[in-house]
Amino acid sequence: MSDPSDLARRHLLIGSAGAAASLVLPAVADAATKTPSKPAHPAHGAPTMSNYFTTPDGTQLYFKDWGAGQPIVFSHGWPLSSDSWESQMLFLASKGYRVIAHDRRGHGRSSQPWNGNEMNTYADDLAGLLNHLDVKNAVLVGFSTGGGEVARYIGRHGTKRVAKAVLVSSVPPLMLKTAANPGGLPIEVFDGIRAGSIADRSQLYLDIAGGPFFGFNRPGAKRSQGMVDSFWMQGMQGGHKNTYDCIKAFSETDFTEDLKKFDVPTLVIHGDDDQVVPIDAAGRSSAKLVKGAKLIVYAGGPHGITDTHKERLNEDLLAFIKA
């Protein structure tokens, strides 16, 4: 049998809790009626640095939306994320521009769908994001695979929201060597990347970053372990299936007809020591296909010039945007 004193204490506690609830709950209910619900996506300019957007097939895309002014929209390379643009985004936002970058489906913090890991869907995802944010008069900037995404976006959706375009170390018009594209890379190169991804994806990313991506395999190169680690971290955030499929997307997609549809001022920037996306088959060829395009060649520049040449790249982007 329970001790009468214990029962008394329990009744006292229950009574006290009930009294407290009777005081607190009406206040909470009253506050709820007076406080408007928050929107699913904070309005532009709200104190937040990231949001999510859901595509028609249910894929959630992470994006950053910083600053205010003319929008500059960035598309990243493989197997990276929007973090790879942080130097350019911080610089341009500080100069009075609105900067937007998303993690491609299956990359970074976006969800990892089994399907849709190809250029048409990538471009449609970008279109959906621009529509969602109602972006107008934008400068689209694509690096490597992201340059293909920008090209396919313009090819499929036109330039009604676009003022200018920039292709940095970008894969268009076609990376794969074919009879019509003898300057491309043989299929064995991309088969090797796929094999490396299956065998040891983590080591593959370390090898790429520690070697040709930043040019750290060149004699006298000063290796940055920070750059290597950042590349590896971003790559390992992505889904295995997604990053594997993306190898085919960036290497075998032909963007020739997309480039011919460019009708806005376009800047092409490429390093002439790019061991990942050779300048002759990519940057120089793209500049010839886009009517009126301006080509800037970084002498000795590797593939990853967004990091190795970030100060120069920032200034070149700013000058082009302001022109």
Side-chain angles (χ1 to χ4, degrees):
M1 179 179 293
S2 300
D3 188 325
S5 61
D6 287 340
L7 290 174
R9 281 194 295 270
R10 289 179 192 174
H11 284 302
L12 178 61
L13 290 172
I14 293 172
S16 299
S22 68
L23 293 173
V24 173
L25 291 177
V28 171
D30 184 59
T33 62
K34 295 180 180 179
T35 304
S37 59
K38 293 182 179 180
H41 297 288
H44 178 62
T48 182
M49 297 184 74
S50 64
N51 298 283
Y52 278 89
F53 160 71
T54 303
T55 69
D57 71 352
T59 300
Q60 284 197 311
L61 299 182
Y62 171 96
F63 68 93
K64 304 176 183 182
D65 185 355
W66 305 346
Q70 182 181 10
I72 318 299
V73 182
F74 296 89
S75 291
H76 65 79
W78 173 94
L80 305 173
S81 72
S82 58
D83 290 352
S84 62
W85 284 115
E86 60 186 15
S87 296
Q88 288 70 46
M89 293 180 70
L90 186 63
F91 174 79
L92 290 171
S94 72
K95 296 297 183 180
Y97 294 92
R98 178 185 180 187
V99 293
I100 301 166
H102 69 291
D103 290 356
R104 185 175 299 116
R105 62 170 53 214
H107 294 66
R109 288 138 294 202
S110 292
S111 55
Q112 301 178 4
W114 187 258
N115 297 315
N117 306 299
E118 37 74 29
M119 280 294 167
N120 286 349
T121 305
Y122 295 160
D124 292 349
D125 287 347
L126 177 58
L129 178 62
L130 298 187
N131 292 340
H132 173 70
L133 297 174
D134 194 24
V135 170
K136 298 174 182 176
N137 195 39
V139 179
L140 301 186
V141 186
F143 168 76
S144 195
T145 300
E149 182 175 285
V150 167
R152 184 52 52 92
Y153 168 85
I154 291 176
R156 285 173 70 83
H157 300 278
T159 55
K160 64 181 179 180
R161 295 185 179 275
V162 181
K164 296 180 180 181
V166 185
L167 303 177
V168 181
S169 304
S170 292
V171 298
L174 175 61
M175 282 195 70
L176 183 66
K177 181 178 181 179
T178 65
N181 187 46
L185 298 173
I187 189 67
E188 289 78 14
V189 171
F190 306 110
D191 287 342
I193 297 173
R194 278 185 279 266
S197 182
I198 293 296
D200 190 341
R201 185 166 71 113
S202 180
Q203 188 61 51
L204 173 70
Y205 295 162
L206 288 173
D207 291 343
I208 291 173
F213 192 90
F214 297 112
F216 293 153
N217 57 340
R218 293 306 197 201
K222 184 179 179 181
R223 175 188 173 103
S224 165
Q225 190 60 44
M227 290 184 190
V228 174
D229 291 348
S230 180
F231 183 105
W232 175 87
M233 181 181 67
Q234 291 177 58
M236 293 307 294
Q237 279 186 304
H240 195 178
K241 170 69 159 52
N242 310 98
T243 52
Y244 182 88
D245 286 355
C246 190
I247 298 167
K248 179 180 179 67
F250 73 65
S251 65
E252 298 182 37
T253 304
D254 190 340
F255 301 98
T256 301
E257 296 306 314
D258 301 299
L259 293 173
K260 292 178 180 179
K261 295 180 181 179
F262 278 44
D263 59 0
V264 294
T266 301
L267 174 64
V268 179
I269 301 176
H270 218 107
D272 66 4
D273 192 33
D274 191 327
Q275 302 170 70
V276 178
V277 182
I279 187 173
D280 288 331
R284 289 194 174 112
S285 295
S286 289
K288 292 176 182 177
L289 286 167
V290 176
K291 185 177 180 180
K294 178 182 179 181
L295 172 65
I296 297 179
V297 178
Y298 286 11
H303 188 58
I305 56 176
T306 53
D307 282 307
T308 62
H309 291 64
K310 63 183 180 182
E311 290 86 2
R312 179 180 176 184
L313 177 61
N314 289 348
E315 293 296 340
D316 285 337
L317 289 175
L318 181 61
F320 176 69
I321 293 165
K322 292 172 66 175

